[in-house]
């Protein structure tokens, strides 16, 4: 049954997808031809519409053979089997990714026109294209959105080949295809009008979708105004002689100039002073937040880690503030010894917590992953530390010194995958050395990176519940001096 055009295909596809109306869905159109189809689907489901820009990473001498794919905000998915079988070296991989990343950013800048990407954390990602021939681009897209934090991935197309639909079923939670054809030929043959979609049409559809699909304001979220040109955010701006050093993190707007309400959680990029360096960080601070959770990344990861950003989004939705920061500078990351220098990481984390508390007046909690968990425990044990609670996901708390573990007073939760047997044993050993309230939570079916469907969501929910439960208890953590 041929389709009149992409609009007709989108309307028909939307009728098949009506069961998703009650889910937390984000509709993602693959540019360019998938966007007109996705526009109709998003309108029918009353769901946010966004564009999903991905780039396949092709083997240099055989570009049609993909060894991976990249998406926005540093998301990268690699096929290690292809890399090994082709004998690809790190420098060759980096060259391909560098070129494709530049093209991806160019297209994103053109299509978004300043609009922020719709967060996929905790959502069903509904990926829409105008058809599946080989399905290579759709497969890359589905793998990328999984890396961006989607808990469920559904692919929907008007028409596709039997082979492509079968292959995509293995990398998604569900594939919806109106017409599955053994001998597809070309996708365009199934449309009476298959005129090429222009970039301007993509931009127009995204612009038209935005006003009616912007989520309502988040309760209490404050939009931070950018720093004025020439003014550093860490220089004194208080009353003369008051001896106050402003961090630029005040939670309350000036009475003479009410803050504008945001259309959802507002992200602010800041730089955290830590000794002789300033560490780039991503801050989300709702107006009514009872705490700020500082993320301690490990094993060379940073503030762009899709897993930690997913957890941070879950905490932000629960009304908790979050700070994701890089504990090492770009130069320091070049020396792998720094990645495992727990003392250095702990000092940086302690400095960040002190700076954050001074600027917001809020208590601070820690979320650590891998070596970052050891750093969080060491920092919480430092003299004068006032940490409200700690959560470790797949962490290496055994790398903290026994003396530090014995000094920790903040209630501590260890979250480990049941299939991560070595790390599970190490967490049990570390837990035995703690003298504070603690718990070990084992997530069934999860490996070290919590890549299995639903496991990262479970870890995030455990963290959220641990923080919110212990924040309600005034006797937890270190007491401030009277």
């Amino acid at each position: 049954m041929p389709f009149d055009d992409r609009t007709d295909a989108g309307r028909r596809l939307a009728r098949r997808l009506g069961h998703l109306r009650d889910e937390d869905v984000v509709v993602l159109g693959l540019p360019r031809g998938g966007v007109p189809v996705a526009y109709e689907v998003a309108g029918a489901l009353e769901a946010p519409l966004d564009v999903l820009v991905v780039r396949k990473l092709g083997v240099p001498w055989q570009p049609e053979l993909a060894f991976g794919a990249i998406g926005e905000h540093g998301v990268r998915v690699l096929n290690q089997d292809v890399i090994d079988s082709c004998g690809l070296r790190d420098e060759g991989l980096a060259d391909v990714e560098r070129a494709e990343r530049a093209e991806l950013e160019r297209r994103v800048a053109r299509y978004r026109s300043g609009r922020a990407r719709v967060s996929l954390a905790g959502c069903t990602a509904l990926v829409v294209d105008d058809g599946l021939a080989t399905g290579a681009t759709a497969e890359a897209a589905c793998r990328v959105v999984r890396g961006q934090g989607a808990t469920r991935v559904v692919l929907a197309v008007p028409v596709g080949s039997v082979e492509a639909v079968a292959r995509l079923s293995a990398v998604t939670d569900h594939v919806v295809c109106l017409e599955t054809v053994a001998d597809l030929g070309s996708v365009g043959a199934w449309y009476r009008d298959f005129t090429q979609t222009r970039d301007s049409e993509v931009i127009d559809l995204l612009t038209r979708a935005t006003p009616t699909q912007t989520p309502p304001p988040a309760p209490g979220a404050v939009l931070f105004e950018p720093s004025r040109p020439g003014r550093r955010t860490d220089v004194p701006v208080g009353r003369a002689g008051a001896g106050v050093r402003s961090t630029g993190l005040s939670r309350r707007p000036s009475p003479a100039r009410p803050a504008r309400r945001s259309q959802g959680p507002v992200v602010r990029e800041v730089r955290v002073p830590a000794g002789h360096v300033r560490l780039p960080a991503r801050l989300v601070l709702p107006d009514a937040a009872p705490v700020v959770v500082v993320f301690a990344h490990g094993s060379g990861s940073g503030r762009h880690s899709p897993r930690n950003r997913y957890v941070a989004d879950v905490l932000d939705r629960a009304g908790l503030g979050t700070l994701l920061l890089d504990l090492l500078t770009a130069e320091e990351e070049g020396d792998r010894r720094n990645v495992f220098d727990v003392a250095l990481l702990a000092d940086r984390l302690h400095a960040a917590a002190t700076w954050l508390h001074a600027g917001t007046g809020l208590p601070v909690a820690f979320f650590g992953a891998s070596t970052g968990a050891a750093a969080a425990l060491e920092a919480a044990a430092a003299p004068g530390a006032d940490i409200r609670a700690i959560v470790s996901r797949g962490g290496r708390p055994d790398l903290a010194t026994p003396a530090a573990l014995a000094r920790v007073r903040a209630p501590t939760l260890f979250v480990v995958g049941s299939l991560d047997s070595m790390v599970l044993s190490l967490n049990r050993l570390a837990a035995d050395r703690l003298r504070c309230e603690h718990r070990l939570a084992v997530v069934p079916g999860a490996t070290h990176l919590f890549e299995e469907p639903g496991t990262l969501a479970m870890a995030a929910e455990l963290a959220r519940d641990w923080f919110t439960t212990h924040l309600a208890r005034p006797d937890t953590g270190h007491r401030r001096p009277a």
Side-chain angles (χ1 to χ4, degrees), residues 64-153:
E64 66 275 11
L65 176 60
F67 66 81
I70 56 172
E72 292 180 67
H73 300 289
V75 172
R76 177 179 61 177
V77 179
L78 299 179
N79 186 325
Q80 196 61 47
D81 290 339
V82 174
I83 293 173
D84 293 341
S85 64
C86 293
L88 298 176
R89 297 180 178 273
D90 289 345
E91 55 269 24
L93 303 181
D95 288 343
V96 173
E97 180 173 352
R98 190 178 304 110
E100 294 297 341
R101 180 72 62 186
E103 177 60 19
L104 181 142
E105 292 175 355
R106 185 192 69 79
R107 294 194 181 195
V108 166
R110 178 168 176 78
Y111 292 145
R112 291 203 188 284
S113 301
R115 289 181 296 272
R117 178 176 68 87
V118 178
S119 174
L120 302 181
C123 297
T124 293
L126 178 55
V127 180
V128 178
D129 205 355
D130 55 8
L132 284 180
T134 65
T137 301
E139 180 177 358
C142 292
R143 292 186 185 277
V144 164
V145 296
R146 187 84 74 182
Q148 290 176 337
T151 54
R152 188 163 177 253
V153 179

Side-chain angles (χ1 to χ4, degrees), residues 342-343 346-347 373-383 385 387 390 396-410 412 414 429-436 478:
V342 173
D347 286 345
L377 291 163
E378 288 277 357
I387 303 305
I390 302 170
R396 290 292 307 276
D398 58 294
L399 296 178
T401 63
L405 291 172
R407 290 196 304 269
V408 174
R409 294 293 175 265
T412 300
F414 296 139
L429 290 173
D432 288 342
R433 295 191 171 106
L434 290 176
R435 298 293 178 264
C436 60
H478 296 284

Side-chain angles (χ1 to χ4, degrees), residues 359-437:
T360 66
L362 293 174
V364 175
F366 286 154
F367 181 95
S370 192
T371 53
L377 291 163
E378 288 277 357
D386 186 11
I387 303 305
R388 192 59 58 92
I390 302 170
V391 173
S392 161
R393 175 189 63 80
R396 290 292 307 276
D398 58 294
L399 296 178
T401 63
L405 291 172
R407 290 196 304 269
V408 174
R409 294 293 175 265
T412 300
L413 172 67
F414 296 139
V415 182
V416 188
S418 66
L419 302 181
D420 194 8
S421 55
M422 184 188 75
V423 172
L424 182 56
S425 297
L426 295 173
N427 273 251
R428 285 171 174 153
L429 290 173
D432 288 342
R433 295 191 171 106
L434 290 176
R435 298 293 178 264
C436 60
E437 178 189 352

Side-chain angles (χ1 to χ4, degrees), residues 200 236 295 425:
S200 59
F295 280 66
S425 297

Side-chain angles (χ1 to χ4, degrees), residues 219-305:
V222 174
L223 176 63
F224 290 101
E225 295 185 358
S227 302
R228 295 177 184 175
R231 169 175 286 182
R232 291 175 53 182
T233 58
D234 64 338
V235 299
V237 294
R239 297 187 306 275
V244 176
R245 181 171 292 273
S246 171
T247 62
L249 302 180
S250 173
R251 299 171 59 223
R252 293 180 175 83
S254 167
R257 191 175 190 178
R260 293 169 293 170
R261 293 290 177 178
S262 72
Q263 295 298 313
V266 177
V267 176
R268 185 183 181 189
E269 297 297 324
V270 297
R271 288 193 172 269
V272 179
H276 65 283
V277 300
R278 293 168 60 83
L279 305 172
R282 171 183 180 267
L283 174 68
V284 177
L285 188 61
D287 187 44
V291 71
V292 183
V293 180
V294 180
F295 280 66
H297 311 290
S299 299
S301 180
R303 71 190 190 281
H304 296 304
S305 161

Side-chain angles (χ1 to χ4, degrees), residues 3 5-7 9-10 13 28-38 127-133 138 155-160 177 184 186-188 190-191 193-197:
F3 305 98
D5 52 20
R6 292 182 178 88
T7 298
L13 192 57
L28 302 161
L30 292 179
R32 292 176 293 219
V35 175
V37 182
V127 180
V128 178
D129 205 355
D130 55 8
L132 284 180
L155 174 67
V157 292
V159 61
C177 182
L184 177 67
S186 69
V187 171
W190 287 79
Y191 288 81
D193 180 0
F194 199 63
T195 304
Q196 185 177 21
T197 304

